[in-house]
């Protein structure tokens, strides 16, 4: 049978809602080259014995990895993407299952290897473990909000005795007091994974240098226009574990709240991908059947007018690929979160551009 049947439609059942702000800032992650150049200079000045790199100029480090050795951590620094990740450097034993499977692999054979089962751990314990490694590496949390354990796995768990080995603590990225989400409805931020086998941190991902630049953009204040897209399931549509059983089956959307939405910027002229954070509305999906769960808790719609204009111009073809805006450059270079093509007079040049340090 098909994995899902039909796509749901959505019906708004929330309260009256008005967008009162004319503009809000769009944020962009700053790719700071200072540390990359400093590391490169240190490496070039270190004798290798078998070759000499000291004569090179204009060099910066794109990425580098460090290892503490056995039972320590591996640190991966990617300066092209402006992020750091950490994972545990541990040895794994060869499972008994694979060692003995060939000995007895037919009817009547006992299972040679019993899958381990894990006991539930309180959220507060997992958060304490996450805080320990953040303190150990002195990770800057200034752009992240209050941590929470990701328990989304419970929605799809049909075995009440099953507890996954790895549990995640998420620190949401926050701008102006508003949490950041991916377009599919998931929280965007730093994630700490804890191994229930020994209650040690397995890894940390999405550690960002807390430096962003921002530029104000005009908002769409016509809520009906935003709602039209939300009732289609968002700009990119939605995918389900189980879809609607009949065509036209509908789920309800509740009253939205302001958030930010993470979006990759594939603008021409870059040798790497930039990352933008748009103001958006988060609509909760409020009547999902427990027997037919979907992957999403929310429908996220950006409310920057220029993004919606281009979405409609492209014929509902999904979230648009951002291209450089036609207009004068600014000192920071941040004038291209928009996507419209045409003359300089056809787009809104940012009214404010500044570099900020949280």
């Amino acid at each position: 049978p098909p994995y899902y049947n039909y796509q749901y439609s959505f019906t708004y059942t929330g309260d009256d809602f008005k967008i009162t702000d004319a503009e809000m800032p769009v944020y962009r992650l700053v790719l700071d080259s200072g540390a990359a150049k400093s590391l490169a200079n240190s490496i070039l000045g270190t004798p290798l014995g078998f070759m000499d790199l000291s004569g090179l100029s204009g060099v910066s480090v794109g990425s580098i990895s460090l290892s503490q050795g056995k039972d320590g951590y591996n640190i991966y620094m990617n300066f092209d993407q402006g992020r750091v990740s950490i994972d545990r450097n541990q040895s794994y034993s060869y499972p008994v299952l694979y060692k003995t499977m060939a000995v007895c692999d037919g009817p009547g054979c006992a299972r040679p290897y019993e899958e381990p089962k894990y006991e539930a751990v309180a959220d507060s314990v997992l958060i304490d473990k996450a805080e320990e490694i953040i303190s150990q590496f002195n990770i800057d949390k200034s752009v992240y909000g209050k941590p929470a354990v990701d328990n989304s796995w419970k929605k799809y768990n049909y075995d009440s005795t099953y507890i996954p080995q790895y549990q995640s603590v998420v620190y949401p990225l926050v701008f102006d007091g508003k949490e950041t989400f991916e377009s599919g409805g998931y929280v965007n931020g730093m994630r700490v994974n804890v191994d229930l086998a020994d209650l040690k941190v397995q890894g940390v991902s999405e550690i960002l240098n807390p430096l962003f630049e921002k530029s104000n953009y005009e908002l769409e204040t016509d809520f009906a226009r935003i709602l039209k897209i939300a009732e289609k399931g968002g700009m990119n549509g939605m995918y389900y574990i189980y879809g609607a059983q009949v065509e036209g089956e509908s789920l309800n959307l509740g009253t939205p709240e302001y958030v930010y939405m993470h979006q990759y910027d594939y603008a021409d002229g870059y040798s790497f991908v930039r990352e933008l954070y748009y103001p958006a509305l988060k609509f909760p999906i409020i009547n999902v059947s427990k027997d037919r769960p979907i992957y999403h808790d929310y429908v996220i719609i950006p409310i920057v007018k220029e993004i919606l204009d281009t979405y409609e111009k492209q014929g509902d073809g999904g979230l648009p690929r951002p291209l450089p805006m036609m207009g004068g450059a600014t000192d920071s270079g941040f004038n291209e979160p928009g996507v419209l093509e045409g003359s300089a007079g056809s787009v809104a040049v940012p009214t404010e551009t500044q570099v900020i340090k949280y």
Side-chain angles (χ1 to χ4, degrees):
Y3 198 56
Y4 59 90
N5 300 315
Y6 300 98
Q7 179 153 317
Y8 287 106
S9 60
F10 293 86
T11 302
Y12 183 68
T13 58
D15 300 329
D16 291 339
F17 192 89
K18 292 184 178 180
I19 298 173
T20 57
D21 293 320
E23 294 181 338
M24 284 181 68
V26 173
Y27 289 85
R28 187 170 71 180
L29 178 65
V30 171
L31 301 179
D32 187 3
S33 62
K37 291 179 179 179
S38 178
L39 276 172
N41 290 334
S42 298
I43 293 171
L44 294 179
T46 302
L48 298 179
F50 58 90
M51 70 182 299
D52 184 6
L53 301 177
S54 61
L56 297 177
S57 60
V59 177
S60 63
V61 174
S63 60
I64 192 171
S65 62
L66 306 172
S67 179
Q68 286 185 297
K70 185 179 179 181
D71 298 326
Y73 285 95
N74 302 310
I75 300 94
Y76 306 94
M77 294 178 283
N78 190 318
F79 298 99
D80 289 340
Q81 296 181 4
R83 60 204 346 101
V84 175
S85 62
I86 299 169
D87 68 29
R88 191 171 165 192
N89 189 4
Q90 62 182 129
S91 57
Y92 295 91
S93 60
Y94 196 54
V96 177
L97 169 63
Y98 304 112
K99 291 181 180 179
T100 60
M101 184 178 292
V103 176
C104 182
D105 190 23
C109 288
R111 183 172 176 82
Y113 176 71
E114 188 67 30
E115 291 287 348
K117 291 188 177 181
Y118 302 96
E119 299 293 331
V121 177
D123 286 1
S124 60
V125 173
L126 298 173
I127 292 173
D128 286 344
K129 293 296 178 182
E131 288 290 312
E132 286 178 9
I133 197 167
I134 287 173
S135 177
Q136 176 183 341
F137 286 95
N138 196 26
I139 297 172
D140 191 335
K141 297 191 300 179
S142 58
V143 292
Y144 300 105
K146 185 178 179 180
V149 175
D150 182 358
N151 287 312
S152 59
W153 60 271
K154 293 181 178 179
K155 292 191 299 183
Y156 318 116
N157 182 21
Y158 298 100
D159 179 0
S160 61
T161 66
Y162 171 76
I163 305 291
Q165 180 177 353
Y166 300 103
Q167 301 278 316
S168 295
V169 179
V170 182
Y171 292 75
L173 190 61
V174 173
F175 297 104
D176 305 323
K178 302 173 182 64
E179 292 186 353
T180 301
F181 287 77
E182 300 291 348
S183 61
Y186 299 100
V187 175
N188 172 269
M190 178 170 60
R191 186 173 291 263
V192 182
N193 294 319
V194 180
D195 188 344
L196 296 193
D198 54 12
L199 279 185
K200 291 185 177 181
V201 170
Q202 180 66 25
V204 187
S205 61
E206 296 298 298
I207 306 171
L208 302 180
N209 181 11
L211 183 63
F212 297 84
E213 51 194 359
K214 69 177 181 179
S215 187
N216 280 0
Y217 275 78
E218 181 183 359
L219 299 186
E220 176 56 70
T221 57
D222 183 357
F223 184 64
R225 184 187 187 193
I226 295 168
L227 199 56
K228 181 180 177 181
I229 301 173
E231 289 183 335
K232 294 180 180 179
M235 286 183 162
N236 292 325
M238 303 186 100
Y239 298 91
Y240 313 95
I241 288 183
Y242 299 106
Q245 292 184 339
V246 296
E247 191 169 8
E249 186 176 353
S250 179
L251 297 173
N252 293 339
L253 297 178
T255 305
E257 61 179 285
Y258 288 99
V259 296
Y260 271 84
M261 190 189 84
H262 175 230
Q263 166 71 7
Y264 289 101
D265 179 1
Y266 300 94
D268 292 341
Y270 290 145
S271 58
F272 42 77
V273 175
R274 301 301 297 268
E275 295 182 56
L276 302 176
Y277 302 86
Y278 297 122
L281 290 181
K282 180 185 75 173
F283 293 83
I285 304 173
I286 57 178
N287 67 327
V288 178
S289 169
K290 292 183 178 180
D291 297 328
R292 292 188 292 136
I294 64 176
Y295 286 115
H296 307 262
D297 293 320
Y298 310 102
V299 173
I300 312 292
I301 308 296
I303 56 176
V304 175
K305 188 175 188 300
E306 191 171 331
I307 296 298
L308 299 181
D309 288 345
T310 304
Y311 169 73
E312 293 184 349
K313 178 181 176 181
Q314 294 179 344
D316 294 358
L319 197 62
R321 172 179 178 263
L323 297 172
M325 287 177 62
M326 305 297 292
T330 63
D331 290 340
S332 72
F334 184 27
N335 69 326
E336 64 274 24
V339 294
L340 291 184
E341 301 175 1
S343 66
S346 66
V347 297
V349 177
T351 58
E352 174 193 7
T353 302
Q354 68 182 71
V355 176
I356 59 170
K357 183 74 163 72
Y358 278 79

